[in-house]
């Protein structure tokens, strides 16, 4: 929405906006055009080397011609409209006819000239002289046609009332604070760079560069990632104070006789000059009254200061206020516009400032906190969430503009609902909201607040752990002759989150209740209380039906809130449900687990329509009385007609079929993911039909979009660890598949519709063949998951096509491929040969197991013990808490009584039914020191048991020592909502954490806020166009998607970040580096705000910014961004990850380009060590390192070393790709080039030409200064002595396309190509001892020869075809994942001396 306004005279519209910093850093004297000539677009993988240069020039010509056309097209729907403010000033807004008056008000609220004005009417003056009064909910097009021009708006002061004047005071306080300005470190860095560049403009530029870069050298190699915690937060910007205080006066409320004069409120104001004023807010204006003491004197004071806004009044009575307010507006104006926009649902931060900032008096904050509303409206009626949501769904959506309005309304209502539900859940868990059924047992309490229905879900995983262990023991004793396959037995023992077997008194149900042949009656209790698994599934099902969007079929708004160990499910209230019995209006499905099933023709037709879109089959089931019903949904779903006569479908826990790989008693809610169903249907359809949905019939098991998507060649800057884009491509693929399936429906209908009630306790009707076929279908989908999708995913991980950085991105990558997290144990088992992947999976299993245990512990903890409990738990997890006395738990101030021996009692076994402790004082006192009974030993025993039973994964004995401490604590904090102090922790201590380190516990929310499908379709189409090199078309599509998303979600949304990333890519390809930086900066800001400061996507955004700045030869600024990227990567993945090694290569290339070869070599050597350790000595990424070293030695004139390293690259590529691969040939050509140069130098030496002693001396000094380099080279020589070493089994021969770092799957092939091209030049045979090394460095390098060689290298590396060798920089940077191909020697053209 905010993107369509120029936001006043001095503000740019967001579509064209750039941070000041980026505008400055891309100043006119930068050789943008020069650098663009080095950028090449590899439009298609099959283009040969010579053609690529021609294609590039064509694309550039095409782009230059169409640039103006693009801008016009992107903005064609915006029209200038002038606005006359109350003060008579004139502004100009860019408006669209579809904008509502609310949009215009928002634009004016953001413009510096009108930001303090809140209470006004808008008049529209048209060309013919007529005047229209605009209502807030009008669209401008409904009132007048602004497209003809000549229209203007006028702001006319309106009268305040009680509500609007309070809103005005609140807005004023907001304006006077910088807390709403979220400045990105990138903006700050660019501003600092610009200032320092201006300051040193007259000094020697080379020296200036070296001085700056010296600071960045302190990056180090991240041996100790705890060191990075204190550096996480950039120093907070200085607060600008405008006024001492503005508070509501104790004269309020105005007495009756003053109300008759229009007095609404009184404010006490203390200015910076120390003057105290009492201000009257009346219906017309604000003025200073004459009150001085404790008696109200309502007369205006002698100075007669009066103004229509509070800011204007304060400017009159306080000169210091006037000056400071101007500074605040300037600070906000200098920021990027996105930095001023509020994020609707900001992510929780797991780190807090350290030392903890002082908590200062703030009367305004105190006043706001006085009213405990838990999300409800204080004035006026409570919002009817359900009515709002369903009314929005009923909006017309035939035209483009109608769809945008509908999507925007749905997004806004859903976001508001989630916010209100979160606040309400906090009230429920804090016992501030009373239940509506107080006489029932506590775990069954239900709550209604703010028209939202709340109920608790129980964590059956934890509760069943002791039962599962007992069952396991029993099964060991009674090994039957007909024993199953061991893997089946394991699977059947899974406590997969669903069986509700705990009784109300906390005792366990007898073991027979866990058997799979339990009759439906015995399982009735299961449906009476939600479990974690059923709540998750219900949310997924609700989302699926919402996306199916069947007219006349409705779902409730829903959110799941985890807070302080409790899980609360929040839903909008079904109309009429609280007034009568729900069974009266039940028309479809069953409320008693299938004993009685209801059915209605009208309802069934709607459900059937949704079922077709969700691949569900119409089938027959039998109820308890033997009646047969035809359903198209799970039996336990409930179709209810509300009192508003709408058809609601509830309890969608199984919107996809059961997972046939998990059919044990504890796995009722183990269902397949919708992504898998979609991929499976796609695979089936492509096999059975000739409609050409999949070009080569390859199994589209991965979410990257089947084989046709892999054909696409896009160079993807943001290597976002298979998160956003993997999801995008899944969604895009869903659509393709749905279309595809519709083509082939006649041929393949049976294969792509699933019966959701097979493998359940419900009795199916129909002939046995049909039932068997239905079961076979589900079995096939489950086998497809196990036998096709999982191996493909593991292969993608091994070849770095998908490269998750942390637990969150790993989970998202699994989900995007249709794999449930319960399979993570299998993924871990299969990736043992890749240390970083094994660490990632095992750490995730540890964190997920620990999460259940800490939440169980927190549920049983009173408020005053929460800090102690969390710190003690963290100490047990990562410290060495062994003894039982309180002295061994230094941060515990509780009971000093010795703890009872843990003796195998599992932490998980302690809990009775989830919520028992709420409100039971005696019980709580008895358990007050329960958390003290946990020790490191007992906790890790529980974690290992949990991992074994839930994930079938045996954690190694030394798991405690092997876990990555920072990554694990970060992941656990994010999952539980804990915030800890950002300080350095000593993990070798007994108790690394103090109580004071635990700063907060925040709610963690899951929701189903809809996204704009139209924009996603445009992005998908744009990707295809970009892949085909059609830059103009791609630019238009991405711009249009950006505009739509701006209108629907506002700028703070990860989909908007997606658009910005692709726009940056298009501009980069087109050679517009400054434009690329503008878009990339937007993406960075959005990622920081929507995903978190240390999300891997944010790290990759910093890496991409660095690459773009480097492309503009602003290497020191680039290195500062790289420094931040490395710090963030060290937090999410730790130092051992291929992305870190790839980033080291990029950093090395930047140092190399400014002539700091010593630093460059250190980074390259470190990258080589990492890749050899993590990926193996014969992985393509290792070859990339060798090639980078070859280039570095080439720049130093050490051509023999270059040749040796390139030989190693060549050997790896021959082994992995074969001799005929273009990359192998490239490497061979590089070897020839280096050999030729070496021979030339030797020839010159023999001719007796003078050596360049300075160059030689520099190399000797370098090696003397860094003996570690010599040792590293000697170690490498020893390794390289044998020919090559064994092949890395991870690559499984054949396909080793290391695509970038998990960036957009659809761009995978492209990124692979880039990596290969970058890789296609690489390693060394036996390295020589130091004396030979020095001889090589010294060998015959005259200044002329060295310069000539380096220049030749530049030309080659800049993409000129020389000796048939093509440089790899015709590739764009693929985020942190790729080598800095395009940049390696390019900027050498501009010497730093």
């Amino acid at each position: 929405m905010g993107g369509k306004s120029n936001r006043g005279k001095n503000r740019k519209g967001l579509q064209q906006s750039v941070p000041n910093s980026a505008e400055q850093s891309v100043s006119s004297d930068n050789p943008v055009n020069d650098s663009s000539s080095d950028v090449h677009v590899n439009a298609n993988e099959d283009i040969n080397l010579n053609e690529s240069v021609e294609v590039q020039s064509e694309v550039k010509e095409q782009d230059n011609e169409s640039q103006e056309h693009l801008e016009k097209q992107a903005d064609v729907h915006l029209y200038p409209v002038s606005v006359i403010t109350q003060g008579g000033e004139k502004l100009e807004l860019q408006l669209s006819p579809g904008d509502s008056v609310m949009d215009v008000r928002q634009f004016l609220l953001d413009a510096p000239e009108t930001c303090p004005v809140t209470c006004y009417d808008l008049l529209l003056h048209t060309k013919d002289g007529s005047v229209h009064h605009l209502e807030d909910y009008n669209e401008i097009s409904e009132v007048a046609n602004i497209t003809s021009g000549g229209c203007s708006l006028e702001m006319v002061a309106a009268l305040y009332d009680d509500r609007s004047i309070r809103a005005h005071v609140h807005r004023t306080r907001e304006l006077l604070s910088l807390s709403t300005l979220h400045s990105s470190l990138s903006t700050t860095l660019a501003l600092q760079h610009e200032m320092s560049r201006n300051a040193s403009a007259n000094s020697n530029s080379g020296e200036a560069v070296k001085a700056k870069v010296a600071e960045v050298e302190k990056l180090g190699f991240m041996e100790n990632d705890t060191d990075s915690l204190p550096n996480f937060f950039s120093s907070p910007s200085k607060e600008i104070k405008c006024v001492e205080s503005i508070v509501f006066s104790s004269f309020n409320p105005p007495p009756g006789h003053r109300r008759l004069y229009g007095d609404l409120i009184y404010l006490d104001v203390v200015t910076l000059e120390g003057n105290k004023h009492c201000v009257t807010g009346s219906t017309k204006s604000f003025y200073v009254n004459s009150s001085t003491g404790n008696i109200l004197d309502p007369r205006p004071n002698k100075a007669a200061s009066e103004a229509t806004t509070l800011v204007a009044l304060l400017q009159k009575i306080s000169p210091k206020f006037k000056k400071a307010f101007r500074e605040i507006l300037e600070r906000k104006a200098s920021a990027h516009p996105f930095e001023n926009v509020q994020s609707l649902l900001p992510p929780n931060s797991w780190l807090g400032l350290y030392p903890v900032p002082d908590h200062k008096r703030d009367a305004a904050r105190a006043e706001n906190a006085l009213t405990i509303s838990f999300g409800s409206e204080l004035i006026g009626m409570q919002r009817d969430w359900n009515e709002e949501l369903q009314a929005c769904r009923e909006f017309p959506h035939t035209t483009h503009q109608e769809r945008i309005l509908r999507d925007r309304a749905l997004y806004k209502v859903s976001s508001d609902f989630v916010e209100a539900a979160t606040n309400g859940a906090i009230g429920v868990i804090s016992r501030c909201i009373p239940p509506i059924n107080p006489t029932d047992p506590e775990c069954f309490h239900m709550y209604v607040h703010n028209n939202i229905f709340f109920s608790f879900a129980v964590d059956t995983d934890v509760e069943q752990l002791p039962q599962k262990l007992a069952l396991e023991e029993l099964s060991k004793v009674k090994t039957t002759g007909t024993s199953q396959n061991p893997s089946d037995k394991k699977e059947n023992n899974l406590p997969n989150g669903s069986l509700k077997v705990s009784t109300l008194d906390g005792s366990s149900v007898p073991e027979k209740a866990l058997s799979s042949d339990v009759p439906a009656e015995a399982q009735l209790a299961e449906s009476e209380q939600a479990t974690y698994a059923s709540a998750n599934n219900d949310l997924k099902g609700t989302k699926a039906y919402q996306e199916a969007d069947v007219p006349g079929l409705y779902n409730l708004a829903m959110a799941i809130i985890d807070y302080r160990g409790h899980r609360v499910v929040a839903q909008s209230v079904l109309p009429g449900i609280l007034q009568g019995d729900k069974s009266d209006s039940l028309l479809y499905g069953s409320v008693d687990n299938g004993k009685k099933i209801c059915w209605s023709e009208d309802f069934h037709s709607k459900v059937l329509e949704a079922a077709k879109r969700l691949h569900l089959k119409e089938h027959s089931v039998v109820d308890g009385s033997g009646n047969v019903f035809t359903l198209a949904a799970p039996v336990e779903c409930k179709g209810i007609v509300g009192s508003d006569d709408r058809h609601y479908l509830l309890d969608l826990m199984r919107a996809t079929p059961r997972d046939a790989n998990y059919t044990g008693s504890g796995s009722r809610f183990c269902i397949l993911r919708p992504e898998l169903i979609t991929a499976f249907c796609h695979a089936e359809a492509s096999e059975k039909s000739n409609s050409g949905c999949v070009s080569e019939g390859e199994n589209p098991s991965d979410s990257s979009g089947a084989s046709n998507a892999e054909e696409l060649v896009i160079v993807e800057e943001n290597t976002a660890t298979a998160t956003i884009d993997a999801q995008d491509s899944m969604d895009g693929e869903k659509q393709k598949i749905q279309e595809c399936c519709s083509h082939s429906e006649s041929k393949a209908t049976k294969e792509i519709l699933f019966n959701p009630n097979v493998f359940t306790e419900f009795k199916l009707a129909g002939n046995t063949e049909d039932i068997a076929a239905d079961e076979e279908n589900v079995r096939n989908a489950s086998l497809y998951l196990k036998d096709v999708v999982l191996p493909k995913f593991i292969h993608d991980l091994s070849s770095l096509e998908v490269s998750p950085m942390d637990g969150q991105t790993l989970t998202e990558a699994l989900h995007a491929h249709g794999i449930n997290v319960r399979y993570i144990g299998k993924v871990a088992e299969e990736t043992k040969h890749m240390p970083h992947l094994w660490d990632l999976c095992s750490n995730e299993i540890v964190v997920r197991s620990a999460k259940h245990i800490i939440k169980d512990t927190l549920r049983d903890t009173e408020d005053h013990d929460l800090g102690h409990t969390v710190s003690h738990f963290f100490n047990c997890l990562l410290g060495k808490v062994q003894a039982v006395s309180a002295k061994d738990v230094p941060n515990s101030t509780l009971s000093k009584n010795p703890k009872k021996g843990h003796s195998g009692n599992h932490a998980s076994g302690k809990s009775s039914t989830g919520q028992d402790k709420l409100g039971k004082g005696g019980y709580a006192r008895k358990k007050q020191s329960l958390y003290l009974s946990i020790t490191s030993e007992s906790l890790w025993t529980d974690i290992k048991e949990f991992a074994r039973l839930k994930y079938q994964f045996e954690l190694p004995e030394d798991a405690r020592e092997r876990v990555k401490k920072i990554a694990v604590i970060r992941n656990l904090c994010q999952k539980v909502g804990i915030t800890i102090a950002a300080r350095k922790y000593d993990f070798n201590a007994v108790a690394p954490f103090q109580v004071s380190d635990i700063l907060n516990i925040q709610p963690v929310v899951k929701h189903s806020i809809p996204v704009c499908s139209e924009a996603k379709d445009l992005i998908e189409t744009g990707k295809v166009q970009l892949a085909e090199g059609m830059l103009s078309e791609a630019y238009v599509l991405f711009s249009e998607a950006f505009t739509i998303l701006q209108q629907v979600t506002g700028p703070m949304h990860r989909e908007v970040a997606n658009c910005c990333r692709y726009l940056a890519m298009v501009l980069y390809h087109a050679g517009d580096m400054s434009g690329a930086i503008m878009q990339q900066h937007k993406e960075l800001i959005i990622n920081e705000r929507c995903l978190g400061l240390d999300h891997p996507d944010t790290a990759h955004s910093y890496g991409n910014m660095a690459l773009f700045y480097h492309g503009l030869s602003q290497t020191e600024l680039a290195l500062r961004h790289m420094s931040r990227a490395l710090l963030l990567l060290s937090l999410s993945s730790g130092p051992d990850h291929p992305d870190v090694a790839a980033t080291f290569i990029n950093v090395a290339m930047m140092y190399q380009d400014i002539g700091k070869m010593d630093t460059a070599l250190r980074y390259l050597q470190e990258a080589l060590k990492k890749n050899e350790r993590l990926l193996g000595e014969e992985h393509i990424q290792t070859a990339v390192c060798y090639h980078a070293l070859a280039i570095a030695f080439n720049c130093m004139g050490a051509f023999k070393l270059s040749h040796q390293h390139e030989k190693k690259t060549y050997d790896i590529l021959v082994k992995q790709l074969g001799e005929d691969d273009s990359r192998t040939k490239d490497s061979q050509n590089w070897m020839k080039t280096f050999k030729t140069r070496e021979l030339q130098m030797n020839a010159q030496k023999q001719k007796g030409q003078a050596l360049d002693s300075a160059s030689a001396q520099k190399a000797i000094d370098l090696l003397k200064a860094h003996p570690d380099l010599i040792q590293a080279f000697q170690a490498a020589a020893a390794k390289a002595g044998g020919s090559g070493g064994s092949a890395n089994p991870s690559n499984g021969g054949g396909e080793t396309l290391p695509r970038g770092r998990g960036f957009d799957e659809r761009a995978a092939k492209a990124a692979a190509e880039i990596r290969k091209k970058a890789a296609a030049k690489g390693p060394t045979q036996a390295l020589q001892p130091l004396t030979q090394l020095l001889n090589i460095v010294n060998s015959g390098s005259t200044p002329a020869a060295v310069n000539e060689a380096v220049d030749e290298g530049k030309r080659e590396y800049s993409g000129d075809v020389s000796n048939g060798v093509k440089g790899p920089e015709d590739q764009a940077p693929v985020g942190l994942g790729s080598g800095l191909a395009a940049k390696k020697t390019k900027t050498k053209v501009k010497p730093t001396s």
Side-chain angles (χ1 to χ4, degrees), residues 788-948:
V788 179
V789 178
L790 260 176
K792 179 72 169 69
F793 179 69
I794 288 160
H795 176 266
D796 287 351
L797 286 173
S798 300
S799 61
L800 301 184
E801 292 175 23
V802 176
S803 182
M805 298 290 299
D806 62 355
Q808 184 185 349
T809 46
L810 173 65
T811 304
E812 287 172 347
L814 283 165
H815 287 171
H817 284 72
I819 303 168
N820 308 76
V821 175
R822 59 178 170 270
Y823 286 93
I824 193 173
K826 289 188 171 58
V827 176
E829 291 290 345
E830 295 296 322
T831 51
K832 278 184 175 168
H833 58 278
M834 306 281 273
H836 72 285
L837 291 173
W838 191 90
D839 280 348
L840 186 61
C841 294
S842 59
N843 286 351
E844 181 67 6
I845 290 171
V846 166
V847 168
R848 284 175 174 269
S849 306
K851 175 186 74 172
H852 286 278
I853 300 168
I854 190 174
K855 286 167 87 169
D856 184 52
T857 312
L858 286 173
R859 274 197 293 278
D860 292 323
T861 302
E862 293 301 322
D863 290 1
H864 54 267
D865 282 339
L866 285 168
H868 295 90
T869 303
V870 174
S871 59
H872 178 75
F873 186 92
F874 283 180
N875 286 332
C876 293
L877 184 67
L878 298 178
K880 304 176 184 66
V881 178
Q882 293 167 346
V884 294
S885 65
K887 71 180 179 190
D888 277 86
V889 191
N891 52 354
S892 165
T893 57
L894 285 180
S895 151
K896 293 201 168 129
N897 299 329
K899 293 181 262 183
K900 291 180 180 167
H902 194 69
S903 66
N905 284 353
H906 300 284
S908 44
K910 311 182 304 286
S911 164
S912 57
T913 59
Q915 279 72 39
D916 276 14
K917 69 106 185 170
L918 284 180
K920 295 188 181 177
Y923 174 73
R925 276 196 298 278
K926 189 171 71 179
K927 293 184 107 178
Q928 68 177 348
S929 57
L930 185 79
Y931 70 89
L932 290 176
S933 65
I934 303 174
T935 64
S936 294
E937 196 62 43
S938 69
L939 175 60
W940 277 96
T941 305
D942 285 343
I943 287 173
K944 286 174 184 171
E945 289 296 347
F946 202 101
R948 190 166 59 82

Side-chain angles (χ1 to χ4, degrees), residues 950-969:
K950 171 111 181 174
Y951 301 110
Q952 306 95 60
F953 184 68
E954 295 284 347
L955 282 166
E957 286 304 312
D958 60 345
R960 230 166 109 182
E961 289 71 40
R962 287 178 65 171
V963 292
K964 293 182 174 176
K965 308 285 195 292
I966 289 290
V968 161
I969 212 74

Side-chain angles (χ1 to χ4, degrees), residues 646-673:
R646 291 189 180 108
H647 290 65
Y648 292 92
L649 198 60
L650 317 179
D651 290 352
L652 303 165
M653 274 89 73
R654 292 189 299 106
T656 49
R658 276 282 292 269
D659 184 347
N661 301 325
Y662 286 77
T663 52
S665 58
S667 52
R668 182 182 178 202
F669 290 109
C670 290
I671 60 173
L672 298 172
R673 288 194 65 83

Side-chain angles (χ1 to χ4, degrees), residues 299-311:
R299 296 169 302 167
N301 73 352
K302 291 172 188 172
S305 302
E306 184 176 11
T308 52
T309 65
L310 189 52
V311 167

Side-chain angles (χ1 to χ4, degrees), residues 227-247:
D227 291 347
S228 52
L229 287 182
N231 304 324
F232 179 68
F233 292 103
S234 48
S235 53
S237 56
K238 196 172 135 245
E239 188 72 32
I240 300 173
K241 204 168 188 185
C242 294
V243 66
E244 284 296 336
S245 68
I246 303 175
V247 295

